[in-house]
Amino acid sequence: MSHTGRCLCGAIHYELAGNPNSVSVCHCTDCQRSSGAPMIVWAEFPESAVRVTKGTPKTINSSGAAMRSFCPECGSGLFYRNA
């Protein structure tokens, strides 16, 4: 199964291959600050299953081990990576 997505303004588009390894809800302070919400839902895919098809996300190191990617135009949160 494949999935497609994009940021709010359409500057970034991506494709995901396969099904997620897991789906979880996080309510840590870092996720709260990043999303502006009390919690966030993540679908975990292997990094090799993710392909950006349009644009270039901006990536920051948000907490030492976590890398968060977002649209530099509209600010939509897109990807989260950590070991």
Side-chain angles (χ1 to χ4, degrees):
M1 174 180 264
S2 66
H3 308 275
T4 60
R6 55 170 257 189
C7 66
L8 179 65
C9 73
I12 309 291
H13 288 230
Y14 60 88
E15 293 178 351
L16 303 167
N19 292 314
N21 294 336
S22 67
V23 177
S24 58
V25 176
C26 186
H27 56 83
C28 76
T29 304
D30 195 42
C31 283
Q32 289 174 346
R33 289 181 181 147
S34 173
S35 67
M39 66 189 82
I40 192 166
V41 176
W42 292 109
E44 180 185 333
F45 287 82
E47 197 165 345
S48 61
V50 179
R51 185 169 74 98
V52 176
T53 59
K54 179 181 175 187
T56 304
K58 180 172 179 159
T59 301
I60 62 166
N61 184 324
S62 64
S63 63
M67 303 299 288
R68 291 181 184 271
S69 298
F70 56 94
C71 175
E73 298 299 319
C74 67
S76 294
L78 299 166
F79 311 113
Y80 174 92
R81 293 188 322 264
N82 70 2

